[in-house]
């Protein structure tokens, strides 16, 4: 039976799980890799924020927690990195789930409409041009808020 | 001396009696079932237990993988002694296995001081679990090879403000080392990859599946009591810090392992019940949806491709023109006041960006930025129009295996037969719970009795048949393709009793004719056929394929397909034959279908003479 199944899957070449390399670690991240400053560390840092940074490494989950460079107070910037594309969309519209998540991560707990409106109004200052990076966006956002 | 011997014997008996009674107590207090679940023990054919966990760190007895009782005693001893320290983190046994410890204490088999377990407590506080969701991500758009989808867990936080900030617990093979696809397939099937648990923010998974890979996400929130949630979270820690499993794509995959974790949530849950030689993500979803009261609610996150579809379909023709003009740079977005168009443009560029791995071409990048800037001038957003006419939750799908009773006629002879298919979904199957008009069939066999010939023959062997029909559109133009390997009747010689083997493949394009439920495809390809009934024993040649596919109502489908196949080997003039098939299916229940196939196969070298056949099937899926 296994041989038979082998033939089938060879036909498929790529099984569902094959493409799902991401379900362990890796893939998926290529999206942010090219235009980010700290994206390669995101996986590690997001883990590091809430989990003992050594865990991922020692339990053999490879790639996931190799870096623990960034401390938890930088959670906002990592959220911005990881959700850069979606934040760009939500900020221009002044609403959206990714923007709400961002608000919470940076510690805003007030009225979302207000937050959304403010970000939207200042969109041009936050995303200055088409090359604005996630980190610049985050800095600009802080300047707008403060 | 004799006395000493007797004493020793008695002592050892007493020891074993006491030991046996503790394990008996576990059984007596209905704890054995949970113990077996918690350590992922499964009985083999002979009734011997073996855990599907493969890492030595997960067991405190060196024979623990094969011996639940020895593992039980070793655990009790380790929890009392505070050693051995477990894993590379050197955790106190109570801290490495908090659920095991809690459970043994709860049923009164253990009475020791609790270790502080700082790491575990900190982690658990960070997770802050209130409830658990089982998440299903569908296949890549019309890529039959990924039809099976993927599953993982979301841990819903207490008092949460956003789902995105929850944690996802995923289980997957670690395939990070570079390797050939062949190795990937080989390891996946026969073992060689290790599967691990990992945690990450949910937004990471949403970005990955919804946006980068354009896959829909379904979230099944489970109905659990707080202690059920607790059990699962504790156990996830145990797996995270100590366990790996040999990963097999078809059975010991993400879904079987996740089922084994989730079934801890309620004593009566059994989510690792395998009734086939494979266990697919949708099997877990169906099993949990079928478990009474297990699912509270189902959430849905449309893929970016679907969101784009919805946005575009909400535009009228004038708006579509405007959309195209801005997209190609002919009109600058500053002149636009229509948020519907702007919103559609935003999803379009976002889609392109993800398709191109996060980087837009410079020209697009500039236009995109202008569009976003323009959009930020308008307060009121337009809600996305959900063009979701049919509920397509994966738990609603038909069973992948199919048994059929068949009756019909070939030319003037009556035939009757049976047909069995291991999986999975063909073009006439009900698309509910599946990717529409997708086709992935494997391992089928049919036998048929011909009343005139008085012969029982193998009528069909299907090794593999894949149809990937991706509708052409301007934002994601992709080829459609097809491959197949089958044994079938050679109607072009004589529809009765004579069989041939055929391997074929083709590529072309598919178009939606007005709606997603009405498609047309055409393909060019090649066919190789062999049979002892052929003059040269084999043929090789080009083919042209075309088909109309209709699904006007949820329960009814009609397909009309045709092909012309040539033979370049013989180098004679009339070296072709043609096939046409009209197929209809009517679903009377979720797992029951009536099907009628009428086929015409021309004789080799002629379209005048032909073999006609009609077959009626009553099909049962399971």
């Amino acid at each position: 039976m296994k041989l038979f199944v082998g033939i089938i899957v060879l036909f498929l070449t790529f099984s569902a799980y094959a493409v799902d390399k991401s379900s362990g670690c890796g893939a998926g991240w290529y999206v942010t890799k090219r235009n980010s400053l700290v994206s390669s560390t995101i996986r590690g840092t997001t883990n590091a924020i809430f989990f003992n940074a050594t865990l991922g490494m020692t339990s053999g989950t490879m790639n996931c927690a190799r870096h623990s460079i960034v401390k938890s107070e930088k959670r906002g910037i990592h959220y911005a990195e990881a959700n850069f594309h979606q934040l760009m969309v939500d900020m221009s519209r002044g609403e959206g789930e990714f923007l709400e998540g961002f608000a919470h991560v940076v510690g805003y707990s007030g009225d979302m409409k207000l937050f959304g409106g403010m970000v939207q109004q200042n969109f041009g200052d936050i995303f200055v041009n088409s090359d604005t990076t996630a980190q610049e966006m985050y800095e600009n956002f802080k300047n707008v808020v403060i | 001396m004799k006395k000493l011997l007797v004493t020793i014997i008695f002592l050892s008996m007493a020891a074993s009696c006491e030991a046996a009674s503790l394990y008996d107590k576990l059984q007596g207090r209905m704890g054995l079932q949970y113990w077996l679940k918690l350590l992922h023990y499964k009985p083999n054919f002979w009734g011997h237990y073996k855990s599907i966990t493969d890492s030595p760190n997960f067991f405190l007895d060196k024979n623990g993988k094969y011996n639940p009782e020895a593992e039980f005693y070793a655990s009790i001893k380790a929890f009392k002694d505070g050693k051995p320290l477990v894993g590379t983190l050197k955790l106190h046994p109570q801290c490495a296995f908090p659920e095991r410890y809690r459970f043994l204490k709860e049923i009164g088999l253990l009475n020791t001081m609790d270790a502080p377990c700082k790491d575990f407590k900190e982690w658990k506080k960070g997770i802050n679990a209130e409830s658990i969701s089982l998440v299903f991500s569908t296949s890549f758009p019309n890529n039959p090879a990924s039809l099976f989808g993927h599953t993982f867990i979301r841990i819903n936080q207490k008092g949460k403000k956003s789902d995105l900030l929850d944690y996802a617990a995923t289980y997957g093979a670690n395939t990070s080392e570079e390797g050939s696809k062949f190795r990937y397939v080989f390891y996946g099937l026969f073992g060689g990859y290790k599967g691990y648990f990992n945690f990450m923010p949910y937004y990471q998974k949403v970005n990955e599946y919804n946006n980068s890979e354009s896959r829909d996400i379904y979230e099944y929130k489970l109905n659990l009591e707080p202690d059920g949630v607790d059990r699962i979270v504790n156990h996830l820690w145990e797996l995270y810090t100590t366990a790996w499993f040999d990963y097999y794509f078809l059975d010991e995959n993400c879904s079987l392992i996740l089922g084994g974790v989730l079934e801890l949530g309620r004593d009566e849950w059994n989510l690792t019940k395998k009734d086939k030689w494979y266990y697919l993500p949708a099997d877990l979803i169906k099993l949990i949806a079928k478990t009474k009261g297990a699912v509270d609610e189902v959430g849905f996150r449309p893929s970016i491709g679907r969101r784009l579809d919805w946005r575009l379909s909400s535009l009228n023709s004038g708006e579509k023109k405007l959309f195209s003009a801005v997209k190609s740079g002919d009109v600058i977005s500053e002149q636009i006041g229509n948020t519907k168009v702007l919103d559609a443009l935003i999803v379009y560029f976002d889609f392109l960006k993800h398709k191109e791995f996060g980087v837009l071409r410079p020209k697009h990048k500039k236009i995109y930025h202008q569009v976003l800037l323009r959009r930020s001038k308008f307060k009121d957003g337009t809600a996305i129009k959900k063009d979701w006419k049919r509920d397509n939750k994966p738990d609603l799908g038909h069973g992948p295996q199919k048994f059929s009773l068949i009756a019909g006629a070939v030319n003037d002879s009556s035939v009757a037969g049976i047909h069995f298919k291991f999986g999975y979904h063909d073009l006439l199957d009900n698309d509910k719970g599946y990717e529409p008009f997708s086709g992935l069939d494997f391992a089928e066999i049919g036998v048929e009795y011909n009343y005139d010939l008085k012969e029982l023959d193998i009528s069909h062997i299907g090794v593999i048949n894949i149809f990937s029909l991706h509708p052409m559109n301007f934002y994601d133009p992709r080829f459609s393709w097809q491959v197949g390997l089958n044994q079938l009747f050679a109607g072009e010689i004589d529809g009765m009793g004579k069989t041939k083997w055929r391997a074929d493949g083709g590529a072309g394009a598919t178009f939606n004719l007005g709606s997603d439920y009405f498609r047309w495809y055409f393909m060019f390809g090649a066919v190789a056929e062999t049979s002892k009934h052929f003059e040269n024993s084999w043929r090789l040649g080009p083919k042209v394929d075309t088909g109309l596919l209709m699904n006007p109502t949820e329960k009814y489908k009609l397909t009309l397909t045709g092909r012309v196949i040539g033979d370049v080997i013989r180098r004679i003039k009339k070296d072709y034959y043609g096939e046409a098939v009209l197929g209809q299916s009517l679903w009377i229940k979720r797992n029951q279908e009536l099907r009628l196939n009428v086929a015409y196969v021309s004789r080799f070298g002629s379209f005048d003479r032909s073999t006609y056949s009609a077959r009626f099937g009553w099909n049962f899926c399971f």
Side-chain angles (χ1 to χ4, degrees):
Chain A
M1 182 51 98
K2 286 223 162 159
L3 183 69
F4 176 75
V5 175
I7 295 169
I8 290 170
V9 181
L10 275 177
F11 256 97
L12 299 178
T13 340
F14 239 46
S15 95
Y17 311 98
V19 191
D20 265 339
K21 284 179 188 171
S22 49
S23 52
C25 270
W29 279 102
Y30 51 68
V31 179
T32 46
K33 226 170 228 170
R34 284 198 209 163
N35 59 349
S36 75
L37 296 166
V38 289
S39 60
S40 64
T41 70
I42 281 179
R43 220 169 184 132
T45 48
T46 43
N47 272 351
I49 293 161
F50 295 103
F51 313 112
N52 188 329
T54 55
L55 278 184
M57 226 171 5
T58 48
S59 63
T61 39
M62 302 300 179
N63 304 333
C64 305
R66 226 169 251 166
H67 315 275
S68 55
I69 312 159
V70 188
K71 301 259 162 43
S72 57
E73 58 263 30
K74 297 236 173 135
R75 199 176 164 204
I77 200 167
H78 293 108
Y79 184 92
E81 262 305 342
N83 302 295
F84 184 56
H85 304 310
Q86 266 22 69
L87 271 178
M88 197 186 283
V89 172
D90 284 4
M91 282 183 173
S92 81
R93 293 168 46 86
E95 59 180 19
E97 195 184 5
F98 284 85
L99 188 59
E100 282 179 34
F102 184 62
H104 295 299
V105 167
V106 298
Y108 179 85
S109 53
D111 181 30
M112 266 320 296
K113 267 214 157 114
L114 210 68
F115 184 83
M118 180 202 54
V119 173
Q120 191 188 27
Q121 239 170 37
N122 294 289
F123 184 86
D125 295 328
I126 296 174
F127 290 90
V128 181
N129 58 44
S130 61
D131 289 318
T132 305
T133 65
Q135 200 157 40
E136 286 161 5
M137 179 269 273
Y138 186 73
E139 292 302 318
N140 297 341
F141 162 79
K142 275 200 316 200
N143 291 338
V144 165
V145 177
I146 301 164
Chain B
M1 185 64 204
K2 201 177 167 187
K3 216 175 167 183
L4 182 67
L5 210 69
V6 171
T7 316
I8 290 171
I9 290 170
F10 262 103
L11 275 176
S12 62
M13 272 173 68
S16 68
C17 278
E18 189 200 45
S21 69
L22 207 54
Y23 197 62
D24 284 347
K25 273 186 195 163
L26 177 72
Q27 301 195 20
R29 292 173 198 183
M30 306 301 285
L32 184 60
Q33 193 204 356
Y34 191 72
W35 180 254
L36 295 175
K37 270 184 174 182
L38 187 56
L39 281 103
H40 305 279
Y41 287 113
K42 296 279 164 211
N44 67 8
F45 183 74
W46 314 105
H48 298 302
Y49 281 99
K50 182 182 160 188
S51 172
I52 57 170
T53 318
D54 294 294
S55 54
N57 279 346
F58 187 69
F59 302 99
L60 289 156
D61 186 276
K62 66 178 192 312
N63 204 25
K65 180 173 164 67
Y66 302 95
N67 193 336
E69 189 174 347
E71 182 61 21
F72 169 76
Y73 286 116
S75 300
I76 294 225
K77 187 169 185 308
F79 290 153
K80 280 182 181 162
D81 296 352
K83 61 182 184 186
L85 298 181
V86 181
T88 35
L89 278 183
K90 302 272 176 250
L91 293 171
H92 186 293
Q94 289 181 17
C95 310
F97 303 108
E99 180 54 17
R100 238 184 261 188
Y101 178 68
R102 184 206 62 78
F103 163 66
L104 292 175
K105 239 186 146 172
E106 185 194 85
I107 62 167
L109 297 182
L110 203 58
N111 185 21
T112 46
M113 286 275 288
D114 295 349
C117 300
K118 205 172 140 258
D119 283 336
F120 167 64
K121 281 180 185 156
E122 230 171 70
W123 174 86
K124 197 169 168 181
K125 209 176 131 199
I127 294 277
N128 192 23
E130 182 170 60
S131 63
I132 305 278
S133 294
L134 174 63
V135 183
F136 178 86
S137 88
T138 62
S139 55
F140 282 76
N142 231 323
N143 175 355
S146 77
L147 257 183
F148 302 142
H150 182 60
T151 45
F152 57 98
I153 288 173
R154 188 178 84 203
I155 306 172
N156 302 300
Q157 295 191 47
K158 283 179 193 142
K160 66 170 159 182
K161 300 276 169 39
S162 166
D163 288 348
L164 295 176
L165 301 176
D166 285 336
Y167 276 87
T170 64
Y171 170 79
N174 184 358
T175 60
S176 54
E177 313 107 78
E178 288 298 309
S180 66
K181 274 182 193 165
F182 179 79
R183 192 174 88 167
Y184 191 86
V185 170
F186 188 85
Y187 276 21
L189 284 174
F190 302 105
Y193 286 125
K194 290 175 179 175
Y196 292 96
F197 270 88
N198 196 18
F199 289 83
M200 61 198 69
Y202 189 56
Y203 57 71
Q204 201 164 318
K205 298 314 270 181
V206 173
N207 275 323
E208 185 178 323
Y209 291 124
N210 255 184
N211 300 325
S212 307
E213 298 178 350
S214 194
R215 302 161 75 169
D216 292 330
I217 290 177
Y218 291 89
E219 303 154 334
Y220 289 73
K221 189 171 172 229
L222 305 182
N223 175 15
L224 288 166
E225 300 299 328
D227 69 329
V229 174
D230 218 43
R231 289 180 192 185
I232 291 171
V233 172
N234 290 348
H235 185 56
L236 282 171
W237 167 265
E238 297 179 345
L239 295 174
Y240 182 45
T241 53
T242 71
W244 51 262
F245 302 76
D246 282 332
Y247 198 100
Y248 297 93
F249 292 145
L250 287 166
D251 49 8
E252 284 184 33
N253 54 32
C254 65
S255 298
L256 188 81
I257 305 294
L258 288 188
V261 173
L262 294 176
E263 69 183 9
L264 297 176
R266 281 189 189 271
D267 288 337
E268 65 274 20
W269 283 5
N270 179 359
L271 302 174
T272 48
K273 202 166 53 194
K274 248 173 73 181
D275 51 6
K276 299 182 278 289
W277 47 266
Y278 54 82
Y279 188 91
L280 303 174
D283 291 325
L284 173 60
I285 299 287
K286 281 176 193 161
L287 209 50
I288 210 151
K290 226 166 53 185
T291 304
K292 215 177 156 206
V295 179
D296 265 349
E297 59 188 40
V298 185
F300 175 61
R301 289 172 183 275
S303 69
I304 190 166
R306 196 175 297 288
R307 296 198 304 269
L308 178 54
D309 261 1
W310 288 347
R311 285 281 181 206
L312 289 173
S313 64
S314 73
L315 302 182
N316 64 33
S317 60
E319 289 166 335
K320 272 184 186 146
K321 265 187 201 144
L322 199 56
F323 173 94
S324 300
V326 177
K327 154 173 100 64
S328 50
D330 297 339
V331 172
I332 45 170
S333 47
E334 269 126 61
Q335 297 160 353
I336 299 179
N338 185 332
T339 50
K340 257 167 85 182
V341 174
L342 289 170
D343 282 338
L345 282 161
I346 288 173
V347 194
Y348 167 72
F349 284 115
D350 199 25
F351 179 90
L352 269 197
K353 183 148 82 168
H354 283 103
K355 210 177 126 193
E356 287 161 21
F357 305 112
V359 187
L360 280 174
R361 269 179 259 160
K363 180 187 163 194
H364 284 157
K365 218 165 145 182
K366 225 174 132 193
I367 300 174
Y368 185 33
H369 187 250
Q370 287 167 354
V371 169
L372 289 165
L373 206 56
R374 181 68 184 158
R375 179 61 184 84
S376 72
K377 307 287 179 238
F378 300 94
K379 265 215 163 350
D380 297 319
T382 50
I384 194 162
K385 182 181 154 256
K386 292 192 180 170
D387 186 20
W388 194 243
K389 295 182 194 91
R390 297 177 189 177
D391 189 359
N392 209 30
K393 291 197 305 253
D395 65 274
L396 298 175
H398 63 79
Q401 303 181 112
K402 188 187 265 189
F403 175 78
S404 314
L405 296 170
I406 290 161
V410 179
N411 290 343
D412 296 325
S413 304
S414 305
V415 294
I418 53 173
H419 190 267
F420 178 74
K421 179 168 94 175
F422 270 113
Y424 179 75
H425 184 78
D426 66 34
L427 294 182
L428 274 171
D429 276 339
N430 191 340
D431 284 335
K432 190 171 245 194
Y434 290 83
E435 190 67 33
F437 292 119
S438 59
L440 169 58
D441 273 357
F442 52 87
E444 13 176 355
I445 186 159
V447 290
E448 211 167 89
Y449 182 75
N450 188 310
Y451 286 92
D452 277 358
L453 299 175
K454 301 210 175 347
E455 267 177 19
L456 187 68
D457 272 311
I458 291 181
S459 56
H460 180 207
I461 297 173
V463 178
I464 185 96
N465 283 289
I466 301 179
F467 267 91
S468 177
L469 304 175
H470 186 76
M472 274 288 174
N473 53 47
F474 71 90
Y475 54 86
D476 194 18
R478 270 193 242 190
F479 282 123
S480 295
W481 55 274
Q482 164 273 330
V483 292
L485 179 61
N486 298 278
Q487 192 214 69
L488 62 165
F489 281 132
E492 76 280 13
I493 316 175
D494 171 0
M496 296 191 282
K498 288 176 183 157
T499 57
K500 64 179 174 184
W501 274 94
R502 172 196 282 173
D504 65 332
T510 304
F511 298 93
N512 271 352
L513 301 179
S515 103
D516 213 25
Y517 305 112
F518 193 5
R519 291 187 192 178
W520 170 59
Y521 71 82
F522 72 87
M523 294 186 201
F524 298 99
V527 181
E529 290 179 326
T530 177
S531 167
K532 61 180 182 198
H533 305 292
F534 291 173
E535 278 171 38
N536 290 2
S537 83
W538 66 289
R539 299 183 193 137
L540 180 69
K543 68 159 184 177
V544 184
D545 255 322
T546 184
L548 267 178
L549 313 170
M550 286 170 254
N551 188 14
T553 72
E554 266 191 28
K555 293 189 167 150
Y556 175 73
K557 268 187 169 179
L558 185 146
T559 61
L560 183 60
T561 58
R563 56 170 54 168
V564 175
I565 295 170
D567 179 7
V568 293
I569 300 292
R570 282 162 49 107
R571 293 172 186 277
I572 57 169
K573 266 186 188 162
K574 293 178 172 178
D575 48 2
Y576 59 86
Y577 71 97
E579 289 176 0
V581 183
L582 173 72
Q584 292 176 84
S585 66
L586 181 67
W587 287 77
I588 45 183
K589 284 183 182 169
R590 182 206 289 203
N591 279 319
Q592 251 186 71
E593 174 203 27
L594 300 176
R595 192 176 281 204
L596 182 66
N597 264 308
V598 181
Y600 149 95
V601 184
S602 80
R603 289 301 162 91
F604 195 74
S606 154
F607 284 127
D608 302 335
R609 292 178 312 131
S610 54
T611 302
Y612 286 99
S613 65
R615 287 181 175 86
F616 174 77
W618 188 8
N619 305 338
F620 305 86
C621 294
F622 54 102

